[in-house]
Amino acid sequence: MEGEIVVGLDVGTTKVAAVVGEINEDGITILGVGSVPCKGLKKGIVSNIDWTTRAIKDAVEAAQTMAGVEIRTVYAGVAGQHIRSQSSDGVAAIAGGEVTRADVERALEGARAIPVDADRQILHVLPREYIVDAQDGIRDPIGMSGVRLGAKVNLITAATNAVQNVIRCAERCGLTVADVVLEPVASAEAVLCEDEKEIGVAVVDIGGGTTDILLYVDGGIAHASVLPVGGNNITSDIAAGLRTPMAEADRLKRLAGCALGRMVGDDEEIEVPGVGGHPPRRAPRRVLSDIIEPRVEEIFAAVRKRIEDTGLLDQLSAGVVLTGGSVLLEGTSELAEEILGMPVRIGFPTAVKGITQLVNGPHYATGVGLLKFGAQAMRDAAARDGARTQSQTRIKPIDTRQPITVAPPAADEGPKSSKIWDWIKAAF
Ligand SMILES: Nc1ncnc2c1ncn2[C@@H]1O[C@H](COP(=O)(O)OP(=O)(O)OP(=O)(O)O)[C@@H](O)[C@H]1O
Ligand SMILES: [Mg+2]
């Protein structure tokens, strides 16, 4: 697999990001990224094919120019409230007295053979544990002796039309979609370490239109779901509350927003641009956090309720890893800790090399995770049947050992420190 190129395509509610990487013996090297704003999705689902196609085309073109490869195949992300997760079981006779890869595949086939509504499709069959005869709790059964192999899995299903629309947009750009991956599964791949998966952890990806939840228990995915709320709701609240255009509301949120009112000083002020020809006016910064805090509280209360409903809350010993662009809002992890009652950390994409500064933000967790998922799928395919599934063409060599200076990605204005706040005040 050495030198193979893999591409993750994150089709998000606010932006499309294409991330290009090269598979190396010891991991993945980031070669290029293209990220462009996109208004073609609503709450994680494609609602305008033309706009989405245009954004994919632009993002892929930017990524391939930077990476020096012609992109033909991508691993694409999918999200939206239509996602469901349910458990299932499968069994297979162990043909030769010792479990082989083929036995495992037959047990998993059995687990996916359950009735699914005609308008839905199975996206992932995620093994939680295997049982060989009477012995349960087995992670990797290959090579074990026995006569009967059982598999307990988590099935992730999605609305077929939502998945097909993502594929159609990519195909209209001349791309082949190698696989469609649930976005929180990808994000988790980018930000979690193995220890967290083992002792139990929740990944919460708060993007623009959705909040995705993924629970890992005993090293396996135990639950996945998507809430139809995200950073865009915060922006709309600011626009309505301060009577300012959406674009200005988003800018104010990024530069001066805070999810926890008590972190804001009494003397801090912001300048609010007027709408419809009205002049700008000054307002206490506290006004902004008074608008933001209840919405962020509401998001975390919904996350807590969803986790409680799974019955897995007390199995998440590693707490919560927050990711997605909206967690860049100051005070978010502090508020999350209070409401969720668990330790919280912000998850940045890890374990990649190359031009990592390009993807060093929580809003790139899904793109990098898709890349990692794709690389693993290609390694598995190569191990299984020697297949080389990828078909990108390198058009110019790139020396990733040379540091490359790039402007920070547009969506990332970073966590707001008091230094930045001083700068805003000075600028006004
Ligand atoms: N520095 C920042 N402070 C606060 N919010 C931010 C910051 N940077 C980005 N955001 C918010 O993050 C959101 C976008 O995050 P992200 O890029 O993860 O979403 P997406 O992947 O496009 O959407 P989704 O995953 O919901 O489909 C927007 O609402 C944006 O306003
Ligand atoms: Mg996203």
Side-chain angles (χ1 to χ4, degrees):
M1 296 310 300
E2 187 76 6
E4 284 284 313
I5 301 292
V6 59
V7 181
L9 183 68
D10 174 13
V11 186
T13 308
T14 65
K15 53 104 185 37
V16 171
V19 186
V20 184
E22 182 186 60
I23 302 178
N24 312 126
E25 221 170 72
D26 55 345
I28 300 175
T29 302
I30 302 287
L31 299 182
V33 179
S35 178
V36 297
C38 176
K39 291 193 168 155
L41 280 84
K42 283 209 165 61
K43 299 190 179 299
I45 299 172
V46 176
S47 62
N48 185 313
I49 295 268
D50 286 342
W51 293 353
T52 309
T53 303
R54 178 85 247 164
I56 293 175
K57 198 166 184 297
D58 291 349
V60 165
E61 269 173 21
Q64 65 184 6
T65 303
M66 187 184 294
V69 298
E70 190 189 339
I71 297 171
R72 297 202 213 113
T73 307
V74 296
Y75 286 83
V78 69
Q81 217 188 348
H82 55 95
I83 298 297
R84 308 249 183 290
S85 95
Q86 65 184 93
S87 38
S88 178
D89 301 319
V91 284
I94 302 170
E98 188 177 298
V99 181
T100 61
R101 193 177 290 276
D103 298 327
V104 171
E105 274 166 18
R106 271 186 293 114
L108 295 179
E109 254 337 286
R112 68 181 296 149
I114 59 157
V116 174
D117 292 347
D119 57 350
R120 299 185 68 76
Q121 68 180 81
I122 295 175
L123 215 54
H124 299 290
V125 180
L126 304 163
R128 292 196 59 192
E129 64 165 323
Y130 293 95
I131 302 136
V132 177
D133 297 339
Q135 190 185 342
D136 60 7
I138 299 166
R139 190 69 50 75
D140 181 7
I142 290 176
M144 293 185 74
S145 302
V147 293
R148 185 177 185 275
L149 174 69
K152 282 188 189 298
V153 308
N154 223 287
L155 288 182
I156 309 280
T157 64
T160 306
N161 62 353
V163 176
Q164 287 310 316
N165 282 339
V166 172
I167 295 175
R168 185 164 307 138
C169 291
E171 286 179 349
R172 284 177 67 173
C173 301
L175 300 167
T176 301
V177 178
D179 205 354
V180 178
V181 184
L182 181 65
E183 286 177 10
V185 170
S187 302
E189 212 44 54
V191 301
L192 290 186
C193 60
E194 288 308 311
D195 290 354
E196 286 173 320
K197 294 180 185 175
E198 284 304 322
I199 62 173
V201 68
V203 179
V204 178
D205 180 329
I206 312 179
T210 63
T211 293
D212 308 341
I213 303 166
L214 192 81
L215 306 185
Y216 263 96
V217 172
D218 293 333
I221 293 172
H223 170 85
S225 59
V226 177
L227 302 173
V229 63
N232 286 356
N233 298 81
I234 304 172
T235 308
S236 311
D237 292 347
I238 297 170
L242 296 181
R243 293 192 307 282
T244 193
M246 282 292 281
E248 290 300 339
D250 192 60
R251 191 180 138 270
L252 277 173
K253 177 182 77 171
R254 291 168 188 239
L255 289 175
C258 184
L260 208 52
R262 63 167 189 272
M263 290 171 74
V264 177
D266 288 336
D267 55 340
E268 296 181 70
E269 284 194 341
I270 53 170
E271 188 172 87
V272 183
V275 69
H278 288 281
R281 60 197 192 285
R282 298 194 73 76
R285 188 184 173 212
R286 182 65 66 76
V287 170
L288 195 54
S289 59
D290 283 351
I291 296 171
I292 295 172
E293 188 169 331
R295 178 64 80 170
V296 181
E297 251 175 33
E298 181 193 77
I299 294 175
F300 286 123
V303 168
R304 185 178 168 101
K305 166 100 180 51
R306 185 58 65 92
I307 297 176
E308 277 173 354
D309 288 348
T310 65
L312 298 168
L313 185 68
D314 55 3
Q315 295 185 51
L316 307 173
S317 306
V320 178
V321 178
L322 293 180
T323 192
S326 293
V327 307
L328 290 168
L329 190 66
E330 185 185 356
T332 300
S333 52
E334 289 83 351
L335 188 57
E337 244 167 46
E338 281 178 19
I339 296 175
L340 301 174
M342 287 186 269
V344 170
R345 75 168 176 91
I346 304 284
F348 286 73
T350 55
V352 283
K353 303 174 296 172
I355 323 172
T356 51
Q357 66 270 40
L358 285 177
V359 290
N360 188 22
H363 48 297
Y364 281 118
T366 306
V368 172
L370 288 166
L371 197 68
K372 288 184 159 184
F373 185 99
Q376 192 53 48
M378 287 165 68
R379 284 191 191 105
D380 290 347
R384 201 167 46 240
D385 44 34
R388 289 174 79 82
T389 50
Q390 194 61 292
S391 57
Q392 340 277 5
T393 315
R394 190 180 284 281
I395 49 185
K396 75 173 163 59
I398 189 157
D399 185 354
T400 51
R401 287 163 306 180
Q402 295 300 318
I404 297 177
T405 313
V406 287
D412 182 8
E413 282 164 356
K416 286 151 289 297
S417 65
S418 54
K419 263 195 197 144
I420 293 182
W421 183 235
D422 290 341
W423 174 84
I424 297 163
K425 284 201 285 190
F428 283 135

